[in-house]
Amino acid sequence: MLRIFSLIVVAFSFVPQVYALDFKDISIHGYSSFEVERQISEKGSGDTNNSFDMDLFDVVLNFQLSDRVRVAADLTWEHGTATEDGTGNAAVEYAFTEITYTDAVKLRFGKFLLPFGYFNEIHTAKPSTLSVKEAASTNKTERLAKNGERFFPRWGAGMGLKGSMASAGLDYDILVTNGEQDEEGNSGNPYEKDNNLSKALTARVHYRPSTGLLVSPSYYKDQMSADVKDMEHSVTSYGLYLNYSFFDANVIAEFVEGKFVKVEIDEDAAEKDKNNWTQQGWFIQLAYAIDATTPYLRYELINPDVDIKKDVGTDTIIGVNHEIDDGLFGKLEYHMYGGEFDDSHWTEVKLALVAGW
């Protein structure tokens, strides 16, 4: 036995050392959100059972490999994930390598949350937003209108360029990704293999013309190339986000317009069945901080097709965000859903306890 142990020690002595990070080069952060929802009105699409929701547990990892190279990942478990039971959802929100040349030039490679508008990149970072959920009118349109389409996908795999020019009050993001996959010719995983030659482009600029004011336009373009059988598809979205703070008050607003084209090609038909439309969504949120308590009011509207009447969805939110302790927040909201389509008028209460570290 001693001889065997000695041989093992000798064998491992010849294994080259693997580079290890110092703990000071590793940072771990995260968020947790527990929610309760209750539909108040008799009719609606909310939760009438006053259910408890372990909304998410999120871990953010940063590894500083050198002065120039950083690896970052965000891992999330939603709704009490239990794979054995087939419940909840586990996701890699982002995982990328970043190489810094200067503050103005940083290259990124991996999977990303698309840098479009205000909410998408930070939708899991619940302590950083006042509201319980991100604005549905610009991020999850199907929550407000049954015909709503996403203006852009949540994630993308590809390459990005990011930078900051502090003297000009300017930050920018440019990202090239595989884009979304349609059912026709679907490769199964848009973060592994694209099913067409075209790539999606996302771009966003943060501009701070004065103290307290942020102006941020966004752009997203994705188009299926002609090599995808029986399907042509494109989406082009433009967004403008504004954030203005004065004294203890804050106003944020965002407008997004998306132009969609879907063409289904029937080989037996003489013509293509072409469908194109324009969708618009926007919100405005007013908030005023009173010590650790911040009441807010948000109005959202989604118009799935500007040429069709009676398909608009709206949500009016009266809420309050209170910092209970360092990194611990309580949120309470009253929602009044409206619009011009059937069964659209109903009310709901949302409650969340959010922790961040």
Side-chain angles (χ1 to χ4, degrees):
M1 181 64 71
L2 181 60
R3 180 177 297 179
I4 295 175
F5 179 75
S6 300
L7 289 173
I8 294 174
V9 171
V10 171
F12 273 101
S13 68
F14 287 100
V15 177
Q17 289 188 346
V18 179
Y19 175 74
L21 283 171
D22 193 301
F23 280 113
K24 66 181 178 60
D25 298 322
I26 304 173
S27 65
I28 302 176
H29 301 283
Y31 327 101
S32 178
S33 177
F34 173 77
E35 299 178 2
V36 182
E37 297 181 357
R38 172 69 175 181
Q39 179 181 307
I40 302 301
S41 56
E42 183 177 349
K43 293 183 178 180
S45 57
D47 189 337
T48 58
N49 296 321
N50 204 38
S51 303
F52 300 125
D53 180 11
M54 182 55 236
D55 181 56
L56 65 80
F57 181 83
D58 197 283
V59 176
V60 179
L61 305 172
N62 275 281
F63 306 91
Q64 195 69 45
L65 303 186
S66 68
D67 291 340
R68 295 178 54 203
V69 182
R70 178 173 71 98
V71 176
D74 184 318
L75 312 175
T76 185
W77 295 265
E78 297 179 306
H79 312 297
T81 306
T83 56
E84 185 176 18
D85 298 332
T87 57
N89 175 58
V92 176
E93 298 286 348
Y94 61 75
F96 61 83
T97 299
E98 178 184 85
I99 304 173
T100 300
Y101 294 94
T102 67
D103 289 341
V105 180
K106 298 179 181 180
L107 292 178
R108 290 181 168 185
F109 310 88
K111 180 183 178 181
F112 307 89
L113 288 163
L114 294 196
F116 192 106
Y118 174 62
F119 279 103
N120 192 55
E121 280 192 304
I122 61 173
H123 78 279
T124 62
K126 301 294 186 177
S128 64
T129 61
L130 290 176
S131 57
V132 175
K133 300 288 188 183
E134 65 270 35
S137 57
T138 55
N139 288 260
K140 285 192 172 183
T141 59
E142 68 276 9
R143 288 180 175 175
L144 294 185
K146 55 187 176 183
N147 296 324
E149 296 272 356
R150 298 284 181 99
F151 289 105
F152 51 90
R154 176 136 281 175
W155 303 280
M159 304 168 57
L161 185 64
K162 183 181 181 67
S164 175
M165 291 163 276
S167 60
L170 198 66
D171 300 327
Y172 73 90
D173 289 272
I174 301 173
L175 187 62
V176 178
T177 59
N178 286 335
E180 288 191 291
Q181 309 284 8
D182 279 311
E183 291 183 4
E184 296 290 339
N186 191 353
S187 65
N189 187 346
Y191 317 115
E192 176 188 14
K193 182 180 179 181
D194 204 346
N195 67 346
N196 73 116
L197 186 61
S198 297
K199 296 294 177 281
L201 173 65
T202 308
R204 184 185 63 193
V205 173
H206 284 335
Y207 176 56
R208 296 172 178 81
S210 63
T211 302
L213 177 61
L214 171 67
V215 180
S216 180
S218 298
Y219 174 81
Y220 178 77
K221 173 69 174 180
D222 188 15
Q223 181 172 358
M224 285 287 178
S225 53
D227 59 338
V228 178
K229 183 181 179 181
D230 298 338
M231 177 65 70
E232 294 178 14
H233 168 72
S234 70
V235 54
T236 304
S237 295
Y238 307 88
L240 180 62
Y241 164 65
L242 302 174
N243 189 324
Y244 181 54
S245 297
F246 54 99
F247 301 106
D248 294 318
N250 174 255
V251 180
I252 62 174
E254 187 172 0
F255 174 84
V256 184
E257 179 175 279
K259 298 184 180 296
F260 298 83
V261 176
K262 288 189 177 181
V263 181
E264 295 187 10
I265 304 173
D266 187 348
E267 295 179 354
D268 298 327
E271 297 181 355
K272 299 177 180 179
D273 181 16
K274 185 174 182 179
N275 187 15
N276 61 284
W277 69 97
T278 298
Q279 175 178 275
Q280 293 179 346
W282 60 271
F283 74 84
I284 182 169
Q285 178 177 290
L286 313 176
Y288 189 84
I290 307 170
D291 296 326
T293 302
T294 305
Y296 54 93
L297 174 66
R298 187 165 82 208
Y299 180 79
E300 305 182 30
L301 183 144
I302 177 67
N303 188 347
D305 190 335
V306 297
D307 293 328
I308 297 178
K309 296 181 179 180
K310 296 185 178 181
D311 67 342
V312 172
T314 65
D315 186 12
T316 303
I317 305 171
I318 301 173
V320 61
N321 181 304
H322 178 68
E323 186 173 7
I324 301 169
D325 207 334
D326 291 342
L328 183 64
F329 301 85
K331 304 180 182 184
L332 177 63
E333 293 180 346
Y334 181 71
H335 290 247
M336 293 172 283
Y337 297 95
E340 299 177 24
F341 54 92
D342 294 339
D343 299 326
S344 62
H345 296 270
W346 56 286
T347 55
E348 181 182 41
V349 171
K350 294 180 184 288
L351 175 67
L353 186 64
V354 174
W357 60 90

